[in-house]
Amino acid sequence: DQQVKQNSPSLSVQEGRISILNCDYTNSMFDYFLWYKKYPAEGPTFLISISSIKDKNEDGRFTVFLNKSAKHLSLHIVPSQPGDSAVYFCAATGAGGTSYGKLTFGQGTILTVHP
Amino acid sequence: DSGVTQTPKHLITATGQRVTLRCSPRSGDLSVYWYQQSLDQGLQFLIQYYNGEERAKGNILERFSAQQFPDLHSELNLSSLELGDSALYFCASSVGASGDYEQYFGPGTRLTVT
């Protein structure tokens, strides 16, 4: 039962252009969403998050959009840089509920930014 | 460097054996989480401890157990190992217990069961 899905296993983008990574979820109890970035041989690193009371959160080149009715979120990276090449994981949790700190992750999307 | 340390980095062992993975959280963090990343399952939540007490449990096998000690480090014990237990095991830590606290991940322990 895949409650968080990233349907694109990989994405290739030219340096300077926009990268858009997508994520869908099925559990309506999720109310907090996060994006993590992972380089090989390292643990995931937190990028940006959004609460279900918002529809957009921005941090520098990174913006996360949440569409609750569609149970869909996306991460926009503008402009994309070669150093952004990594695996990106979408994660969800029912923050503050009985799920406590449990994060449910998607399968990840490999982003490659070409110079 | 996230500040979370995990030992060992690599572990190779045989089926039926038992191993212990160790995690030291970031200074000041009270929550410790264990995740398993296998090729076909992605990152799966195993268990969470907060200040020594179990707080949340995922699909952790009965052959697996964990604990958090008074100094807040944590150990994940895997017993009666099977080939399918081969995976990357990540530990993460956070200040608080709920999911809206940022979780900092360690570099992982790669377990290979032969």
Side-chain angles (χ1 to χ4, degrees):
Chain A
D1 175 24
Q2 196 74 26
Q3 296 186 63
V4 177
K5 296 180 188 178
Q6 294 176 254
N7 291 319
S8 298
S10 63
L11 175 68
S12 185
V13 168
Q14 208 66 32
E15 180 179 6
R17 307 293 290 266
I18 184 171
S19 295
I20 299 176
L21 298 103
N22 293 302
C23 178
D24 296 296
Y25 63 97
T26 56
N27 190 337
S28 57
M29 298 301 291
F30 289 147
D31 59 5
Y32 197 77
F33 305 89
L34 310 92
W35 285 93
Y36 278 80
K37 177 167 82 170
K38 185 182 181 305
Y39 293 117
E42 293 182 14
T45 302
F46 170 78
L47 256 183
I48 191 168
S49 62
I50 187 166
S51 165
S52 59
I53 62 173
K54 295 185 174 182
D55 55 18
K56 176 183 172 181
N57 188 26
E58 201 170 343
D59 183 2
R61 297 186 296 115
F62 303 91
T63 303
V64 56
F65 296 91
L66 175 63
N67 183 332
K68 280 182 61 180
S69 60
K71 292 190 173 72
H72 176 84
L73 62 156
S74 61
L75 174 68
H76 293 210
I77 306 173
V78 184
S80 300
Q81 299 172 355
D84 296 329
S85 297
V87 181
Y88 288 77
F89 290 98
C90 169
T93 184
T98 56
S99 60
Y100 291 104
K102 173 184 175 181
L103 295 181
T104 300
F105 283 87
Q107 295 289 88
T109 297
I110 301 170
L111 173 66
T112 305
V113 180
H114 299 282
Chain B
D1 184 354
S2 67
V4 178
T5 59
Q6 290 187 247
T7 55
K9 282 190 177 176
H10 301 277
L11 200 48
I12 301 175
T13 189
T15 54
Q17 294 298 304
R18 172 190 168 95
V19 297
T20 297
L21 313 184
R22 183 188 167 102
C23 168
S24 293
R26 286 188 332 150
S27 177
D29 284 358
L30 297 178
S31 261
V32 168
Y33 312 79
W34 287 97
Y35 292 87
Q36 179 192 56
Q37 185 182 24
S38 53
L39 276 174
D40 57 343
Q41 292 289 325
L43 266 163
Q44 301 280 318
F45 169 79
L46 293 178
I47 197 163
Q48 175 195 5
Y49 279 82
Y50 178 77
N51 205 21
E53 307 239 336
E54 183 184 304
R55 193 54 72 99
K57 214 165 182 174
N59 294 329
I60 187 168
L61 299 171
E62 283 192 15
R63 301 183 286 109
F64 295 3
S65 65
Q67 55 184 325
Q68 186 179 27
F69 294 87
D71 67 353
L72 300 177
H73 91 272
S74 177
E75 292 180 357
L76 178 67
N77 299 296
L78 316 176
S79 61
S80 303
L81 284 168
E82 302 175 359
L83 294 177
D85 297 327
S86 296
L88 259 173
Y89 290 85
F90 288 104
C91 169
S93 73
S94 66
V95 169
S98 60
D100 50 351
Y101 286 95
E102 182 178 338
Q103 294 183 23
Y104 295 84
F105 282 75
T109 293
R110 181 172 293 282
L111 173 66
T112 303
V113 183
T114 61

